[in-house]
Amino acid sequence: MSIPNSETNNGVPYTHLPESDNDSGNTPARCRKTNRSTFIILTGLVAFLLFFVAVKYGNNDGTDDIIPGPVPPHETVCNMIGSNLMPLTTMRTVARGVEEGVSAKSHGHFLGVRPFPWTQKMLAWQRTSFHFQPKKNWMNDPNGPLYYKGWYHLFYQYNPEAAVWGNIVWGHAVSRDLIHWQHLPVAMVADQWYDINGVWTGSATFLPNGDLIMLYTGSTNESIQVQNLAYPADPSDPLLRKWIKYEGNPVPIPPPGIGLKDFRDPTTAWTTPEGKWRITIGSKINKTGISLVYDTIDFKKFELLKGMLHGVPGTGMWECVDFYPVSKIAENGLDTSENGPAVKHVLKSSLDDDRNDYYALGTYNAGAGKWVPDNPIIDVGIGLRYDYGNFYASKSFYDQEKKRRVLWAWIKETDSEAADICRGWASLQPIPRTIQYDKKTGSNLITWPVAEVDNLRSNNNEFNKVVVKPGSIVPLEVGSATQLDIMAEFEVDQNMLKKVDGSNATYDCIKSGGSGERGALGPFGLLVLTDNSLSEQTPIYFYIAKDLTGNFNTFFCNDLTRSFEASDVRKLIYGSTVPVLQGEKLSLRTLVDHSIVESFAQNGRTAITSRVYPTKAIYENAKIYLFNNATDISVTATIKIWQMNSANIKSN
């Protein structure tokens, strides 16, 4: 494909970086042996530096905001953790990425908490076996996933130098089936003035002749967010190993009235009735999150449309915006340019303010370049989410090979940065999910693991009609419980539901007392990654609430408050309501893969993803149980559990 030169960068001049400044100055950290005296000196040095920064940047509120500093050597951090000599953290940090103009990529230090003395055995167990992740170092957002000449391609944000965010380039891997992967060399690096501070999120678009282009956000030498064009160096190469950046970059730049660090993450392009291409880019005006709309013919010159695709007051910066159609009548996914009376359009945004992904269903007016939600009460940023757990920066693509829409995302760490550095890697990808319109409810999407993951199943165990009485726990003997695919159905006696009195009390998974808080009709479900003494347990459960008028609301929750004894891990409760229609049994599917647990209720109407860091419930000590903490009802469970084989993920 030929890309002609651009004479101007949309009329805005930029100053190129001098050659001598192109080196970022960062060099890979070396791991080397330290003797005891060196170790003591390093320990004291770290403590001194923390104290110095606290004095220099201290606030009046008794805490301190500090910018994350250089990454200490891997071996030094491991020695400190293992000897429990890591300095006590009495400061809070500005999370990595914030100063650079992207969402927080770490949660910083914990106030007054010393990192847990993790052992290498504990940390080694945390690495997953059938989820995608690099061999080492940091990863975050997926970029431009696509299918090309027989291969699925995943590009992703990657730091080749350390297990923390920074030095962002594009990692690259390919697969035949979205489960088994081959790592390839880095696809794009930060080597031009318009992306020298980061090659950030981008999206792929196929042209009618089969050519492929990629638009991505770059952070310039002045930390301005701009959009850039790239294309394959050799379109005949099915592995897309080399990419060329358009010499006329950048293409769209922040328009007047938009912050220079509030303009990022272009979507896949779709066609307009006039035969042009259209994209949307996330931004904000004050506290209103917005999606700007641009039209183009050649992807080199862009026209900003008046107004915006959509905006929602109070939602803050929108990043990783996604926009695509879903069919109201067919099972298949749709190409991004599809439209018509049997189509709904999904608008999704990742909110920088709360680090969650929200979506809404609505109607797209192609002529006006506007989108209107079906229900403003559950608009983007204030209503539905793909996943109510640890799930962010999602990106979908249309899989033309299997006629489906596939969803990727970023699953971040919730432990300490010190543990990440010692472990040598941070973050991973969920199992790719298909997206469909829920024809039964007409008000939400269904997300579900791609069918290919089922090929990893082995050694099926079945438990039929197991009665779990109020206040009881039932062990499920399945052998190793570290890599599982669990399908469960729960039946509740309808007569008992009618007899139980309603309440005017409201329920909320997050604000509740977790799985230990007993109600008349819940909680009940599974305990995964649980040791024999139940001192560490990860409950995944339903809670049924009945109001004074006799109406029922069903909640799907995941309680991490007792999942690990470590002190430097965030212990959260996730969850939300889940629609349950007349005559439906309560159902859930859970994928357990070491430190990641992905759960889906009612065939994917609600999903919850969690990171779990147990210290005891690991290896052969990881068990699974049924539990019922309801006070007034028994539940009957039917369960199928498969052991999961490991995926084949090859290095370069």
Side-chain angles (χ1 to χ4, degrees), residues 464-523:
N464 295 312
K465 302 292 184 181
V466 180
V467 177
V468 191
K469 296 181 179 180
S472 65
I473 295 175
V474 178
L476 300 174
E477 298 297 335
V478 298
S480 174
T482 290
Q483 295 175 211
L484 301 175
D485 188 353
I486 307 162
M487 301 283 282
E489 286 187 341
F490 297 92
E491 296 180 70
V492 180
D493 189 301
Q494 296 299 310
N495 291 326
M496 286 300 300
L497 288 179
K498 294 176 182 178
K499 290 180 181 179
V500 172
D501 292 334
S503 169
N504 62 359
T506 59
Y507 186 80
D508 184 303
C509 292
I510 298 171
K511 297 178 182 178
S512 73
S515 60
E517 180 180 293
R518 304 189 67 181
L521 305 176

Side-chain angles (χ1 to χ4, degrees), residues 29-36 38-39 42-43 46 71-83 86 120 418 420-424:
R30 290 180 173 268
C31 293
R32 54 191 178 90
K33 294 184 179 294
T34 57
N35 58 32
R36 181 173 177 81
T38 305
F39 173 63
L42 285 171
T43 303
V46 172
V71 182
H74 162 87
E75 191 166 296
T76 300
V77 174
C78 289
N79 285 338
M80 288 180 175
I81 291 177
S83 303
M86 184 68 75
Q120 285 300 321
D420 297 344
I421 295 169
C422 184
R423 189 174 55 234

Side-chain angles (χ1 to χ4, degrees), residues 259-559:
L260 300 181
K261 292 184 178 181
D262 300 329
F263 183 69
R264 55 185 177 269
D265 310 335
T267 62
T268 294
W270 68 94
T271 54
T272 70
E274 297 79 23
K276 297 180 180 179
W277 290 98
R278 179 167 291 171
I279 64 169
T280 184
I281 297 172
S283 188
K284 68 175 181 178
I285 298 178
N286 298 320
K287 289 296 290 182
T288 296
I290 63 172
S291 48
L292 300 168
V293 183
Y294 285 85
D295 281 359
T296 182
I297 296 175
D298 56 9
F299 291 92
K300 297 181 291 297
K301 295 180 180 179
F302 285 80
E303 174 193 0
L304 175 63
L305 273 62
K306 292 182 179 179
M308 62 195 74
L309 182 68
H310 191 57
V312 180
T315 56
M317 176 66 194
W318 283 12
E319 56 181 10
C320 300
V321 172
D322 203 3
F323 185 67
Y324 57 89
V326 289
S327 174
K328 295 192 293 183
I329 57 176
E331 300 295 326
N332 289 346
L334 299 176
D335 178 82
T336 309
S337 294
E338 290 282 344
N339 202 353
V343 168
K344 284 289 180 186
H345 273 80
V346 178
L347 179 59
K348 166 262 161 184
S349 176
S350 301
L351 297 196
D352 192 6
D353 283 4
D354 72 1
R355 317 296 191 271
N356 291 311
D357 279 18
Y358 294 84
Y359 77 87
L361 294 165
T363 301
Y364 169 56
N365 184 328
K370 308 290 184 183
W371 175 91
V372 178
D374 289 347
N375 183 355
I377 296 176
I378 52 173
D379 204 343
V380 180
I382 57 177
L384 300 172
R385 287 165 51 181
Y386 286 146
D387 190 297
Y388 290 85
N390 184 342
F391 191 92
Y392 193 66
S394 60
K395 172 76 66 176
S396 75
F397 77 99
Y398 176 62
D399 176 6
Q400 67 271 31
E401 175 68 10
K402 294 198 172 181
K403 310 300 181 186
R404 59 185 176 178
R405 183 157 290 273
V406 178
L407 179 68
W408 283 97
W410 168 44
I411 300 172
K412 63 183 181 292
E413 303 296 337
T414 55
D415 61 348
S416 67
E417 195 168 85
D420 297 344
I421 295 169
C422 184
R423 189 174 55 234
W425 59 269
S427 307
L428 56 128
Q429 301 288 313
I431 294 297
R433 303 175 186 180
T434 56
I435 304 174
Q436 292 181 327
Y437 177 75
D438 189 344
K439 294 190 290 290
K440 291 183 179 180
T441 66
S443 59
N444 58 269
L445 296 175
I446 289 175
T447 66
W448 195 250
V450 292
E452 289 89 335
V453 74
D454 297 359
N455 295 329
L456 297 178
R457 289 172 170 175
S458 66
N459 300 332
N460 180 20
N461 290 274
E462 296 190 20
F463 304 87
N464 295 312
K465 302 292 184 181
V466 180
V467 177
V468 191
K469 296 181 179 180
S472 65
I473 295 175
V474 178
L476 300 174
E477 298 297 335
V478 298
S480 174
T482 290
Q483 295 175 211
L484 301 175
D485 188 353
I486 307 162
M487 301 283 282
E489 286 187 341
F490 297 92
E491 296 180 70
V492 180
D493 189 301
Q494 296 299 310
N495 291 326
M496 286 300 300
L497 288 179
K498 294 176 182 178
K499 290 180 181 179
V500 172
D501 292 334
S503 169
N504 62 359
T506 59
Y507 186 80
D508 184 303
C509 292
I510 298 171
K511 297 178 182 178
S512 73
S515 60
E517 180 180 293
R518 304 189 67 181
L521 305 176
F524 57 86
L526 297 172
L527 302 178
V528 301
L529 297 176
T530 301
D531 67 329
N532 282 324
S533 68
L534 304 180
S535 61
E536 290 185 329
Q537 55 181 271
T538 297
I540 303 156
Y541 56 94
F542 292 100
Y543 190 104
I544 303 173
K546 184 178 182 180
D547 64 24
L548 292 174
T549 62
N551 294 317
F552 294 95
N553 279 316
T554 303
F555 296 82
F556 184 55
C557 317
N558 185 190
D559 181 2

Side-chain angles (χ1 to χ4, degrees), residues 121-150:
K121 184 177 181 180
M122 294 174 186
L123 295 176
W125 176 88
Q126 292 173 8
R127 187 168 184 87
T128 61
S129 291
F130 57 90
H131 283 74
F132 177 85
Q133 59 185 127
K135 183 178 180 180
K136 61 180 181 179
N137 297 332
W138 169 275
M139 76 174 306
N140 58 285
D141 308 7
N143 299 309
L146 57 97
Y147 181 84
Y148 190 78
K149 296 184 184 297

